[in-house]
Structure formats: structure tokens, C-alpha cells
Coordinates of all heavy atoms in Angstrom, one line a residue:
M554 N -201.3 -64.9 66.1 CA -201.7 -66.3 66.2 C -202.4 -66.6 67.6 O -203.3 -67.3 67.7 CB -200.6 -67.2 65.9 CG -200.1 -67.2 64.5 SD -198.8 -68.4 64.0 CE -197.5 -68.1 65.1
T555 N -201.8 -66.0 68.6 CA -202.3 -66.3 70.0 C -203.8 -65.9 70.1 O -204.6 -66.7 70.7 CB -201.4 -65.6 71.0 OG1 -200.1 -66.0 70.9 CG2 -201.9 -65.9 72.4
N556 N -204.1 -64.7 69.7 CA -205.5 -64.2 69.8 C -206.5 -65.1 69.1 O -207.5 -65.5 69.6 CB -205.6 -62.8 69.3 CG -204.8 -61.8 70.2 OD1 -204.8 -61.9 71.4 ND2 -204.2 -60.9 69.5
T557 N -206.1 -65.5 67.8 CA -207.0 -66.4 67.0 C -207.1 -67.7 67.7 O -208.2 -68.3 67.8 CB -206.5 -66.5 65.6 OG1 -206.4 -65.1 65.1 CG2 -207.4 -67.3 64.7
Q558 N -206.0 -68.3 68.2 CA -206.0 -69.6 68.8 C -206.9 -69.6 70.1 O -207.7 -70.5 70.3 CB -204.6 -70.0 69.2 CG -204.5 -71.3 69.9 CD -203.1 -71.7 70.3 OE1 -202.2 -70.9 70.3 NE2 -203.0 -73.0 70.6
R559 N -206.8 -68.5 70.9 CA -207.7 -68.4 72.1 C -209.2 -68.4 71.6 O -210.0 -69.1 72.2 CB -207.4 -67.2 72.9 CG -206.1 -67.2 73.6 CD -205.9 -65.9 74.4 NE -204.6 -66.0 75.1 CZ -204.2 -65.0 75.8 NH1 -204.9 -63.9 76.0 NH2 -203.0 -65.1 76.4
W560 N -209.5 -67.6 70.6 CA -210.9 -67.5 70.2 C -211.4 -68.8 69.6 O -212.5 -69.2 70.0 CB -210.9 -66.4 69.1 CG -212.3 -66.1 68.6 CD1 -213.4 -65.6 69.2 CD2 -212.7 -66.5 67.2 NE1 -214.4 -65.5 68.3 CE2 -214.1 -66.1 67.1 CE3 -212.1 -67.1 66.1 CZ2 -214.8 -66.3 66.0 CZ3 -212.9 -67.3 65.0 CH2 -214.2 -66.8 64.9
L561 N -210.6 -69.5 68.8 CA -211.0 -70.8 68.2 C -211.1 -71.8 69.3 O -212.0 -72.7 69.3 CB -210.0 -71.2 67.2 CG -210.0 -70.4 65.9 CD1 -208.9 -70.9 65.0 CD2 -211.4 -70.7 65.1
T562 N -210.3 -71.8 70.3 CA -210.4 -72.8 71.4 C -211.7 -72.6 72.2 O -212.3 -73.6 72.5 CB -209.1 -72.6 72.3 OG1 -208.0 -72.9 71.6 CG2 -209.2 -73.6 73.5
V563 N -212.1 -71.4 72.5 CA -213.3 -71.2 73.1 C -214.5 -71.7 72.3 O -215.4 -72.3 72.8 CB -213.5 -69.6 73.5 CG1 -214.9 -69.3 74.0 CG2 -212.5 -69.2 74.5
L564 N -214.4 -71.4 71.0 CA -215.5 -71.9 70.1 C -215.5 -73.5 70.1 O -216.5 -74.1 70.1 CB -215.3 -71.4 68.7 CG -215.7 -70.0 68.4 CD1 -215.3 -69.6 67.0 CD2 -217.1 -69.7 68.7
G565 N -214.3 -74.1 70.0 CA -214.2 -75.5 70.1 C -214.7 -76.1 71.3 O -215.4 -77.2 71.3
E566 N -214.5 -75.5 72.5 CA -215.1 -76.0 73.7 C -216.6 -75.8 73.7 O -217.3 -76.8 74.2 CB -214.5 -75.2 74.9 CG -213.0 -75.5 75.2 CD -212.4 -74.5 76.1 OE1 -213.0 -73.5 76.5 OE2 -211.2 -74.8 76.5
R567 N -217.1 -74.7 73.2 CA -218.5 -74.5 73.2 C -219.3 -75.5 72.3 O -220.3 -75.9 72.7 CB -218.7 -73.0 72.7 CG -220.2 -72.7 72.5 CD -220.9 -72.5 73.8 NE -222.2 -72.0 73.7 CZ -223.4 -72.7 73.6 NH1 -223.3 -74.0 73.7 NH2 -224.5 -72.1 73.4
F568 N -218.6 -75.8 71.2 CA -219.3 -76.7 70.3 C -218.8 -78.1 70.2 O -219.0 -78.9 69.3 CB -219.3 -76.1 68.8 CG -220.0 -74.8 68.8 CD1 -219.4 -73.6 68.7 CD2 -221.4 -74.8 68.8 CE1 -220.1 -72.4 68.6 CE2 -222.1 -73.6 68.7 CZ -221.5 -72.4 68.6
D569 N -218.0 -78.5 71.3 CA -217.4 -79.8 71.4 C -216.7 -80.2 70.1 O -216.9 -81.3 69.5 CB -218.5 -80.8 71.7 CG -218.0 -82.1 72.2 OD1 -216.9 -82.1 72.8 OD2 -218.6 -83.2 72.0
A570 N -215.8 -79.3 69.7 CA -215.0 -79.6 68.5 C -213.5 -79.2 68.6 O -212.9 -78.7 67.7 CB -215.6 -78.7 67.3
L571 N -213.0 -79.5 69.8 CA -211.6 -79.2 70.1 C -210.6 -79.9 69.1 O -209.6 -79.3 68.7 CB -211.2 -79.5 71.5 CG -211.7 -78.6 72.6 CD1 -211.4 -79.1 74.0 CD2 -211.1 -77.2 72.3
K572 N -210.9 -81.1 68.7 CA -210.0 -81.8 67.7 C -209.9 -81.0 66.4 O -208.8 -80.8 65.9 CB -210.5 -83.2 67.5 CG -209.6 -84.0 66.5 CD -209.1 -85.2 67.1 CE -208.4 -86.0 66.1 NZ -206.9 -85.8 66.0
K573 N -211.0 -80.6 65.9 CA -211.1 -79.8 64.7 C -210.3 -78.4 64.9 O -209.6 -78.0 64.0 CB -212.5 -79.5 64.3 CG -212.7 -78.8 63.0 CD -212.1 -79.7 61.8 CE -212.3 -79.0 60.5 NZ -211.7 -79.7 59.4
V574 N -210.5 -77.8 66.0 CA -209.8 -76.6 66.3 C -208.3 -76.8 66.3 O -207.6 -76.0 65.7 CB -210.3 -76.0 67.7 CG1 -209.4 -74.9 68.1 CG2 -211.7 -75.4 67.5
E575 N -207.9 -77.9 66.9 CA -206.4 -78.1 66.9 C -205.9 -78.3 65.5 O -204.8 -77.8 65.1 CB -206.1 -79.4 67.7 CG -206.3 -79.2 69.2 CD -206.2 -80.5 70.0 OE1 -205.9 -81.6 69.4 OE2 -206.5 -80.5 71.2
E576 N -206.7 -78.9 64.6 CA -206.2 -79.1 63.2 C -206.2 -77.7 62.5 O -205.2 -77.4 61.8 CB -207.2 -80.0 62.5 CG -207.2 -81.4 62.9 CD -208.3 -82.3 62.4 OE1 -209.1 -81.8 61.5 OE2 -208.5 -83.4 62.8
I577 N -207.2 -76.9 62.7 CA -207.3 -75.6 62.1 C -206.1 -74.7 62.6 O -205.4 -74.0 61.8 CB -208.6 -74.9 62.4 CG1 -209.8 -75.6 61.7 CG2 -208.6 -73.4 62.0 CD1 -211.1 -75.2 62.1
V578 N -205.8 -74.7 63.9 CA -204.8 -73.9 64.5 C -203.4 -74.4 63.9 O -202.6 -73.6 63.5 CB -204.8 -74.0 66.0 CG1 -203.5 -73.4 66.6 CG2 -206.0 -73.2 66.5
A579 N -203.2 -75.7 63.8 CA -201.9 -76.2 63.3 C -201.7 -75.8 61.9 O -200.6 -75.4 61.5 CB -201.9 -77.7 63.5
E580 N -202.7 -75.9 61.1 CA -202.7 -75.5 59.7 C -202.4 -74.0 59.5 O -201.6 -73.5 58.7 CB -203.9 -75.9 58.9 CG -203.9 -75.5 57.4 CD -202.8 -76.1 56.6 OE1 -202.1 -77.1 57.0 OE2 -202.6 -75.6 55.5
G581 N -203.1 -73.2 60.4 CA -203.0 -71.8 60.3 C -201.6 -71.4 60.7 O -201.0 -70.5 60.1
E582 N -201.0 -72.0 61.7 CA -199.7 -71.7 62.1 C -198.7 -72.0 61.0 O -197.7 -71.2 60.8 CB -199.3 -72.4 63.4 CG -200.0 -71.8 64.7 CD -199.6 -72.6 65.9 OE1 -198.9 -73.6 65.9 OE2 -200.0 -72.1 67.0
R583 N -198.9 -73.1 60.4 CA -198.0 -73.5 59.3 C -198.0 -72.5 58.2 O -197.0 -72.0 57.7 CB -198.4 -74.9 58.7 CG -197.4 -75.4 57.7 CD -198.0 -76.6 56.9 NE -199.2 -76.2 56.1 CZ -199.2 -75.4 55.0 NH1 -198.0 -75.0 54.5 NH2 -200.3 -75.2 54.4
M584 N -199.2 -72.0 57.8 CA -199.4 -71.0 56.7 C -198.8 -69.7 57.1 O -198.1 -69.0 56.4 CB -200.9 -70.9 56.4 CG -201.4 -72.0 55.7 SD -203.2 -72.0 55.4 CE -203.7 -70.3 55.5
V585 N -199.0 -69.3 58.4 CA -198.4 -68.0 58.9 C -196.9 -68.0 58.9 O -196.3 -67.1 58.4 CB -199.0 -67.6 60.3 CG1 -198.2 -66.5 60.9 CG2 -200.5 -67.3 60.2
M586 N -196.4 -69.1 59.4 CA -194.9 -69.2 59.4 C -194.3 -69.2 58.0 O -193.3 -68.6 57.8 CB -194.5 -70.5 60.2 CG -194.9 -70.4 61.7 SD -194.3 -68.9 62.5 CE -192.5 -69.1 62.5
A587 N -194.9 -69.9 57.1 CA -194.4 -69.9 55.7 C -194.5 -68.5 55.1 O -193.5 -68.1 54.5 CB -195.2 -70.9 54.9
T588 N -195.5 -67.8 55.4 CA -195.7 -66.4 54.9 C -194.6 -65.5 55.6 O -194.0 -64.7 54.9 CB -197.1 -65.9 55.2 OG1 -198.0 -66.7 54.5 CG2 -197.2 -64.4 54.7
C589 N -194.4 -65.7 56.9 CA -193.5 -64.8 57.6 C -192.1 -65.1 57.1 O -191.3 -64.1 56.9 CB -193.5 -65.1 59.1 SG -195.0 -64.4 59.9
R590 N -191.7 -66.3 56.8 CA -190.4 -66.6 56.2 C -190.2 -65.9 54.9 O -189.1 -65.4 54.6 CB -190.2 -68.1 56.1 CG -189.9 -68.8 57.3 CD -189.5 -70.2 57.1 NE -189.6 -70.9 58.4 CZ -190.6 -71.7 58.8 NH1 -191.6 -72.0 58.1 NH2 -190.5 -72.3 60.0
R591 N -191.2 -65.8 54.1 CA -191.1 -65.1 52.8 C -191.0 -63.6 52.9 O -190.4 -62.9 52.2 CB -192.3 -65.5 51.9 CG -192.2 -66.9 51.3 CD -193.2 -67.1 50.2 NE -194.6 -66.6 50.5 CZ -195.5 -67.4 51.1 NH1 -195.3 -68.6 51.4 NH2 -196.7 -66.9 51.3
K592 N -191.7 -63.1 53.9 CA -191.8 -61.7 54.1 C -190.8 -61.1 55.1 O -190.7 -59.9 55.3 CB -193.2 -61.3 54.7 CG -194.4 -61.7 53.8 CD -194.5 -60.8 52.6 CE -195.7 -61.2 51.8 NZ -195.9 -60.4 50.6
W593 N -190.0 -62.0 55.7 CA -189.0 -61.5 56.7 C -188.2 -60.4 56.3 O -187.9 -59.4 57.0 CB -188.2 -62.7 57.3 CG -187.2 -62.2 58.3 CD1 -185.9 -62.2 58.2 CD2 -187.5 -61.7 59.6 NE1 -185.3 -61.8 59.3 CE2 -186.3 -61.4 60.2 CE3 -188.7 -61.4 60.3 CZ2 -186.2 -60.8 61.5 CZ3 -188.6 -60.9 61.6 CH2 -187.3 -60.6 62.1
P594 N -187.6 -60.4 55.1 CA -186.7 -59.3 54.7 C -187.4 -57.9 54.8 O -186.8 -56.9 55.1 CB -186.3 -59.6 53.3 CG -186.4 -61.1 53.2 CD -187.6 -61.4 54.1
M595 N -188.7 -57.8 54.5 CA -189.4 -56.6 54.6 C -189.8 -56.2 56.0 O -189.9 -55.0 56.3 CB -190.7 -56.6 53.8 CG -190.4 -56.8 52.3 SD -192.0 -56.9 51.3 CE -192.4 -58.6 51.6
A596 N -190.0 -57.2 56.9 CA -190.5 -56.9 58.3 C -189.4 -56.9 59.3 O -189.6 -56.6 60.5 CB -191.5 -57.9 58.6
R597 N -188.1 -57.3 59.0 CA -187.1 -57.5 60.0 C -186.8 -56.2 60.8 O -186.3 -56.2 61.9 CB -185.9 -58.1 59.4 CG -185.1 -57.1 58.5 CD -183.8 -57.8 58.0 NE -183.1 -56.9 57.1 CZ -183.3 -56.7 55.9 NH1 -184.2 -57.4 55.2 NH2 -182.5 -55.8 55.2
F598 N -187.0 -55.0 60.2 CA -186.7 -53.8 60.9 C -187.6 -53.6 62.1 O -187.3 -52.8 63.0 CB -186.8 -52.6 59.9 CG -188.1 -52.2 59.4 CD1 -188.9 -51.3 60.1 CD2 -188.6 -52.8 58.3 CE1 -190.2 -51.0 59.7 CE2 -189.9 -52.5 57.8 CZ -190.7 -51.6 58.5
L599 N -188.8 -54.3 62.1 CA -189.7 -54.1 63.3 C -189.3 -55.0 64.5 O -189.7 -54.8 65.6 CB -191.1 -54.5 62.9 CG -191.8 -53.6 61.9 CD1 -193.1 -54.2 61.5 CD2 -191.9 -52.2 62.5
Y600 N -188.5 -56.0 64.2 CA -188.1 -57.0 65.2 C -187.5 -56.4 66.4 O -186.5 -55.7 66.3 CB -187.2 -58.1 64.6 CG -186.8 -59.2 65.5 CD1 -187.7 -60.1 66.0 CD2 -185.5 -59.3 66.0 CE1 -187.4 -61.2 66.8 CE2 -185.1 -60.4 66.8 CZ -186.1 -61.3 67.2 OH -185.7 -62.3 68.0
R601 N -188.1 -56.5 67.6 CA -187.6 -56.0 68.8 C -187.4 -54.5 68.9 O -186.6 -54.0 69.6 CB -186.3 -56.7 69.3 CG -186.5 -58.2 69.5 CD -185.4 -58.8 70.2 NE -185.7 -60.2 70.5 CZ -184.9 -61.1 71.0 NH1 -183.7 -60.7 71.4 NH2 -185.3 -62.3 71.2
T602 N -188.2 -53.8 68.1 CA -188.2 -52.4 68.1 C -189.1 -51.8 69.2 O -190.2 -52.2 69.4 CB -188.8 -51.9 66.7 OG1 -188.0 -52.4 65.7 CG2 -188.8 -50.4 66.7
P603 N -188.5 -50.8 70.0 CA -189.4 -50.1 71.0 C -190.6 -49.5 70.3 O -190.5 -48.9 69.2 CB -188.5 -49.1 71.6 CG -187.1 -49.5 71.3 CD -187.2 -50.3 70.0
T604 N -191.7 -49.5 71.0 CA -192.9 -49.0 70.3 C -193.8 -48.4 71.4 O -193.7 -48.6 72.6 CB -193.6 -50.1 69.5 OG1 -194.7 -49.5 68.8 CG2 -194.2 -51.2 70.4
A605 N -194.9 -47.6 71.0 CA -195.9 -47.1 71.8 C -197.2 -47.6 71.3 O -197.4 -47.6 70.1 CB -195.8 -45.6 71.9
I606 N -198.2 -47.9 72.1 CA -199.5 -48.3 71.7 C -200.5 -47.5 72.4 O -200.5 -47.5 73.7 CB -199.8 -49.8 72.0 CG1 -198.8 -50.7 71.2 CG2 -201.2 -50.2 71.7 CD1 -198.8 -52.2 71.6
V607 N -201.3 -46.7 71.7 CA -202.3 -45.9 72.2 C -203.6 -46.3 71.5 O -203.7 -46.1 70.3 CB -202.0 -44.4 72.1 CG1 -203.2 -43.5 72.6 CG2 -200.7 -44.0 72.7
A608 N -204.6 -46.8 72.2 CA -205.8 -47.3 71.4 C -206.9 -47.6 72.4 O -206.7 -47.6 73.6 CB -205.4 -48.7 70.8
D609 N -208.1 -47.7 71.9 CA -209.2 -48.2 72.6 C -208.9 -49.6 73.1 O -208.3 -50.4 72.3 CB -210.5 -48.2 71.7 CG -211.7 -48.7 72.5 OD1 -212.3 -47.9 73.2 OD2 -212.0 -49.9 72.4
A610 N -209.3 -50.0 74.2 CA -209.0 -51.3 74.8 C -209.5 -52.5 74.0 O -208.8 -53.5 73.9 CB -209.5 -51.4 76.3
T611 N -210.6 -52.3 73.3 CA -211.1 -53.5 72.5 C -210.1 -53.8 71.4 O -210.1 -55.0 70.9 CB -212.5 -53.1 71.9 OG1 -212.4 -51.9 71.2 CG2 -213.5 -53.0 73.0
V612 N -209.4 -52.8 70.9 CA -208.4 -53.1 69.9 C -207.0 -53.2 70.5 O -206.2 -54.0 70.0 CB -208.4 -51.9 68.8 CG1 -207.3 -52.0 67.8 CG2 -209.7 -51.8 68.1
G613 N -206.8 -52.5 71.5 CA -205.5 -52.4 72.1 C -205.0 -53.7 72.8 O -203.8 -54.1 72.7
I614 N -205.9 -54.4 73.5 CA -205.5 -55.6 74.1 C -205.0 -56.7 73.1 O -203.9 -57.2 73.3 CB -206.7 -56.2 75.0 CG1 -206.9 -55.3 76.2 CG2 -206.3 -57.6 75.5 CD1 -208.2 -55.6 76.9
P615 N -205.7 -57.0 72.1 CA -205.1 -57.9 71.1 C -203.9 -57.4 70.4 O -203.0 -58.1 70.1 CB -206.3 -58.1 70.1 CG -207.5 -57.6 70.7 CD -207.1 -56.6 71.8
L616 N -203.8 -56.0 70.2 CA -202.6 -55.4 69.6 C -201.4 -55.6 70.5 O -200.3 -55.9 70.0 CB -202.9 -54.0 69.3 CG -201.8 -53.2 68.6 CD1 -201.4 -53.9 67.3 CD2 -202.2 -51.8 68.4
V617 N -201.6 -55.4 71.8 CA -200.5 -55.6 72.8 C -200.0 -57.1 72.7 O -198.8 -57.3 72.6 CB -200.9 -55.2 74.2 CG1 -199.8 -55.7 75.2 CG2 -201.0 -53.7 74.3
R618 N -200.9 -58.0 72.7 CA -200.5 -59.4 72.6 C -199.7 -59.7 71.3 O -198.7 -60.3 71.3 CB -201.7 -60.3 72.6 CG -202.3 -60.5 73.9 CD -203.4 -61.6 73.8 NE -204.4 -61.4 74.9 CZ -205.7 -61.4 74.7 NH1 -206.2 -61.6 73.5 NH2 -206.5 -61.2 75.7
F619 N -200.2 -59.2 70.2 CA -199.6 -59.4 68.9 C -198.2 -58.8 68.9 O -197.2 -59.4 68.5 CB -200.4 -58.8 67.7 CG -199.7 -58.8 66.4 CD1 -199.6 -60.0 65.7 CD2 -199.2 -57.6 65.9 CE1 -198.9 -60.0 64.5 CE2 -198.5 -57.6 64.7 CZ -198.4 -58.8 64.0
V620 N -198.1 -57.5 69.3 CA -196.8 -56.8 69.3 C -195.8 -57.5 70.1 O -194.6 -57.7 69.8 CB -197.0 -55.4 69.7 CG1 -195.7 -54.7 70.0 CG2 -197.7 -54.6 68.6
T621 N -196.2 -57.9 71.4 CA -195.2 -58.5 72.3 C -194.9 -60.0 72.0 O -193.8 -60.4 72.0 CB -195.7 -58.4 73.7 OG1 -196.9 -59.0 73.9 CG2 -195.7 -56.9 74.1
E622 N -195.9 -60.7 71.6 CA -195.7 -62.2 71.4 C -195.3 -62.6 70.0 O -194.3 -63.3 69.8 CB -197.0 -63.0 71.8 CG -197.4 -62.9 73.2 CD -198.7 -63.5 73.5 OE1 -199.2 -64.3 72.7 OE2 -199.3 -63.3 74.6
E623 N -196.0 -62.0 69.0 CA -195.6 -62.4 67.6 C -194.5 -61.6 67.1 O -193.6 -62.1 66.4 CB -196.9 -62.3 66.7 CG -197.7 -63.5 66.6 CD -198.5 -63.9 67.8 OE1 -199.4 -63.3 68.2 OE2 -198.0 -64.9 68.4
M624 N -194.4 -60.3 67.3 CA -193.4 -59.4 66.7 C -192.2 -59.3 67.6 O -191.2 -58.7 67.2 CB -194.0 -58.1 66.4 CG -195.1 -58.1 65.3 SD -194.5 -58.8 63.7 CE -193.3 -57.5 63.2
E625 N -192.3 -59.7 68.9 CA -191.3 -59.6 69.9 C -190.8 -58.1 70.0 O -189.6 -57.9 70.2 CB -190.1 -60.5 69.6 CG -190.5 -62.0 69.8 CD -189.3 -62.9 69.6 OE1 -188.2 -62.5 69.9 OE2 -189.6 -64.1 69.2
M626 N -191.7 -57.2 69.9 CA -191.4 -55.8 70.1 C -191.6 -55.4 71.5 O -192.3 -56.1 72.3 CB -192.3 -54.9 69.2 CG -192.1 -55.2 67.7 SD -193.3 -54.4 66.6 CE -192.8 -52.7 66.7
T627 N -191.0 -54.4 72.0 CA -191.1 -54.0 73.4 C -191.9 -52.7 73.5 O -191.3 -51.6 73.2 CB -189.7 -53.8 74.0 OG1 -188.9 -55.0 73.7 CG2 -189.7 -53.4 75.4
P628 N -193.1 -52.7 74.0 CA -193.8 -51.5 74.2 C -193.2 -50.6 75.3 O -193.1 -51.1 76.4 CB -195.2 -51.9 74.6 CG -195.3 -53.3 74.2 CD -194.0 -53.9 74.3
E629 N -192.8 -49.4 74.9 CA -192.3 -48.5 75.9 C -193.4 -47.8 76.6 O -193.3 -47.3 77.8 CB -191.4 -47.4 75.2 CG -190.2 -48.0 74.5 CD -189.1 -48.3 75.5 OE1 -189.0 -47.5 76.5 OE2 -188.4 -49.2 75.3
L630 N -194.6 -47.7 75.9 CA -195.8 -47.0 76.5 C -197.0 -47.8 76.0 O -197.1 -48.1 74.8 CB -195.8 -45.6 76.0 CG -197.2 -44.8 76.2 CD1 -197.3 -44.5 77.7 CD2 -197.3 -43.6 75.4
V631 N -197.9 -48.1 76.9 CA -199.2 -48.7 76.5 C -200.2 -47.8 77.2 O -200.3 -47.7 78.4 CB -199.3 -50.2 77.0 CG1 -200.7 -50.7 76.7 CG2 -198.2 -51.0 76.4
A632 N -201.0 -47.2 76.4 CA -202.1 -46.3 76.9 C -203.4 -46.8 76.3 O -203.7 -46.6 75.1 CB -201.9 -44.9 76.6
L633 N -204.2 -47.6 77.1 CA -205.5 -48.1 76.6 C -206.6 -47.4 77.4 O -206.5 -47.2 78.5 CB -205.5 -49.6 76.8 CG -204.4 -50.4 76.1 CD1 -204.6 -51.9 76.4 CD2 -204.3 -50.2 74.6
Y634 N -207.7 -47.1 76.7 CA -208.8 -46.5 77.3 C -210.1 -47.2 77.0 O -210.2 -47.8 76.0 CB -208.8 -45.0 76.9 CG -208.9 -44.8 75.4 CD1 -210.1 -44.7 74.7 CD2 -207.7 -44.7 74.7 CE1 -210.1 -44.5 73.4 CE2 -207.7 -44.5 73.3 CZ -208.9 -44.4 72.7 OH -208.9 -44.3 71.3
T635 N -211.0 -47.0 77.9 CA -212.3 -47.6 77.7 C -213.3 -47.0 78.7 O -212.9 -46.5 79.8 CB -212.3 -49.2 77.9 OG1 -213.6 -49.7 77.6 CG2 -211.9 -49.6 79.3
S636 N -214.6 -47.1 78.4 CA -215.6 -46.6 79.3 C -216.4 -47.8 79.8 O -217.3 -47.7 80.6 CB -216.5 -45.6 78.6 OG -217.2 -46.3 77.5
Q637 N -216.1 -49.0 79.3 CA -216.8 -50.2 79.7 C -216.1 -50.9 80.8 O -215.0 -51.2 80.8 CB -216.9 -51.2 78.5 CG -217.6 -50.6 77.3 CD -217.6 -51.5 76.1 OE1 -217.1 -52.7 76.2 NE2 -218.0 -51.0 75.0
R638 N -216.9 -51.2 81.9 CA -216.4 -51.8 83.1 C -215.7 -53.2 82.8 O -214.7 -53.5 83.3 CB -217.5 -51.9 84.2 CG -217.0 -52.5 85.5 CD -216.2 -51.4 86.2 NE -215.5 -52.0 87.3 CZ -214.3 -51.6 87.7 NH1 -213.7 -50.6 87.2 NH2 -213.8 -52.2 88.7
Q639 N -216.4 -54.0 82.0 CA -215.8 -55.3 81.7 C -214.5 -55.3 81.0 O -213.6 -56.1 81.2 CB -216.8 -56.2 81.0 CG -217.2 -55.8 79.6 CD -218.4 -54.9 79.5 OE1 -218.7 -54.2 80.5 NE2 -219.1 -54.9 78.4
M640 N -214.3 -54.3 80.2 CA -213.0 -54.1 79.5 C -211.9 -53.7 80.5 O -210.8 -54.2 80.4 CB -213.1 -53.0 78.4 CG -213.9 -53.5 77.2 SD -213.4 -55.1 76.5 CE -211.8 -54.7 75.9
R641 N -212.3 -52.9 81.5 CA -211.3 -52.5 82.5 C -210.8 -53.8 83.3 O -209.7 -53.9 83.6 CB -211.9 -51.5 83.5 CG -212.1 -50.2 82.8 CD -212.7 -49.2 83.8 NE -212.9 -47.9 83.0 CZ -213.5 -46.9 83.6 NH1 -213.8 -46.9 84.9 NH2 -213.7 -45.8 82.9
E642 N -211.8 -54.6 83.6 CA -211.5 -55.9 84.3 C -210.6 -56.8 83.5 O -209.6 -57.4 84.0 CB -212.7 -56.6 84.8 CG -213.5 -55.8 85.8 CD -214.9 -56.3 86.0 OE1 -215.3 -57.2 85.4 OE2 -215.6 -55.7 86.9
L643 N -210.9 -56.9 82.2 CA -210.1 -57.6 81.3 C -208.6 -57.0 81.2 O -207.6 -57.8 81.2 CB -210.7 -57.7 79.9 CG -209.9 -58.5 78.8 CD1 -209.7 -59.9 79.2 CD2 -210.6 -58.4 77.5
L644 N -208.5 -55.7 81.1 CA -207.2 -55.1 81.1 C -206.4 -55.4 82.4 O -205.2 -55.8 82.3 CB -207.4 -53.6 81.1 CG -207.6 -52.9 79.7 CD1 -208.0 -51.5 79.9 CD2 -206.4 -53.1 78.9
E645 N -207.1 -55.4 83.5 CA -206.4 -55.7 84.8 C -205.8 -57.2 84.7 O -204.7 -57.4 85.2 CB -207.3 -55.6 86.0 CG -207.6 -54.1 86.3 CD -208.6 -53.9 87.3 OE1 -209.0 -54.9 88.0 OE2 -209.1 -52.8 87.6
R646 N -206.6 -58.1 84.2 CA -206.2 -59.5 84.1 C -205.0 -59.7 83.1 O -204.1 -60.4 83.4 CB -207.3 -60.4 83.7 CG -208.3 -60.7 84.8 CD -209.3 -61.8 84.5 NE -209.9 -61.7 83.2 CZ -211.1 -61.1 83.0 NH1 -211.8 -60.6 84.0 NH2 -211.7 -61.0 81.8
E647 N -205.0 -58.9 82.0 CA -204.0 -59.0 81.0 C -202.7 -58.5 81.5 O -201.6 -59.1 81.2 CB -204.4 -58.3 79.7 CG -205.4 -59.0 78.9 CD -204.9 -60.3 78.3 OE1 -203.7 -60.4 77.8 OE2 -205.6 -61.3 78.3
F648 N -202.7 -57.4 82.2 CA -201.4 -56.8 82.6 C -201.0 -57.3 84.0 O -199.9 -57.2 84.4 CB -201.5 -55.3 82.6 CG -201.6 -54.8 81.2 CD1 -202.8 -54.3 80.6 CD2 -200.5 -54.9 80.3 CE1 -202.9 -53.9 79.3 CE2 -200.6 -54.4 79.0 CZ -201.8 -53.9 78.5

């Protein structure tokens, strides 16, 4: 939810539509939480599970956010790689 909210907020700022973005985010969170409540018995084994993430930075950064914020899992190892300078700078800001 965090990654999508950030992306939508940037779009809302760009197109002067922050009120609409707030409505979309609130509705999206409601739908996600309702789905998670229904699916919890199947996903509960992942809750706070140690994990390792090895990925390209373009996929890895959002994945780290999702795993730590939404799933409350604890990455024991995070290995992200990239050849793009701007991605390295983004990685430094994230961590």
C-alpha cells in the first residue's frame, strides 16, 4: 500500500488532484484490509518471518518496503544490484 500511495500522491500533486488521490487511497486501503482479513489464515505463516531479498534495485526497493511495512517480515539479508547511478542514489536514501 505504501508504494502505491506514494506513486498516487506524486500524480495527485502533478495534476492538482490530491483530494481525489486521498479518496482512491482510502478506498484502496479498505479493500486491501478486507481482503487481508479473509486471506489471513493462508498468509499468517509469513508474519514476522526472517527472509532474504536478492533482486535488481528497481524491483528490490519496492519489495523491501512491502516486506518490512506491509508483511512485517524481517529481512536478514538485502542484496540489491543496479548499474544505474540514479538507482544507487535512491538506494542510499531508502536505507
Side-chain angles (χ1 to χ4, degrees):
M554 291 188 301
T555 302
N556 294 321
T557 303
Q558 181 180 12
R559 287 180 182 181
W560 180 71
L561 288 172
T562 299
V563 169
L564 286 176
E566 289 169 353
R567 173 72 170 97
F568 295 107
D569 195 28
L571 282 175
K572 178 122 174 94
K573 184 64 176 172
V574 165
E575 289 172 4
E576 293 169 8
I577 292 169
V578 167
E580 177 62 15
E582 286 179 355
R583 186 196 62 73
M584 289 174 21
V585 167
M586 294 308 293
T588 301
C589 287
R590 284 189 192 101
R591 286 193 311 272
K592 302 284 186 183
W593 178 247
M595 292 179 284
R597 73 179 180 274
F598 69 92
L599 293 173
Y600 182 68
R601 296 194 177 177
T602 302
T604 188
I606 298 171
V607 180
D609 180 83
T611 56
V612 174
I614 293 171
L616 183 58
V617 168
R618 282 190 207 131
F619 171 74
V620 164
T621 58
E622 294 177 17
E623 267 70 73
M624 295 301 293
E625 294 186 28
M626 295 169 73
T627 306
E629 296 283 325
L630 168 73
V631 176
L633 305 180
Y634 53 91
T635 185
S636 61
Q637 299 176 7
R638 184 72 193 149
Q639 65 268 27
M640 291 306 295
R641 291 180 185 179
E642 293 165 1
L643 179 60
L644 276 171
E645 289 174 9
R646 287 194 305 270
E647 283 296 317
F648 292 106

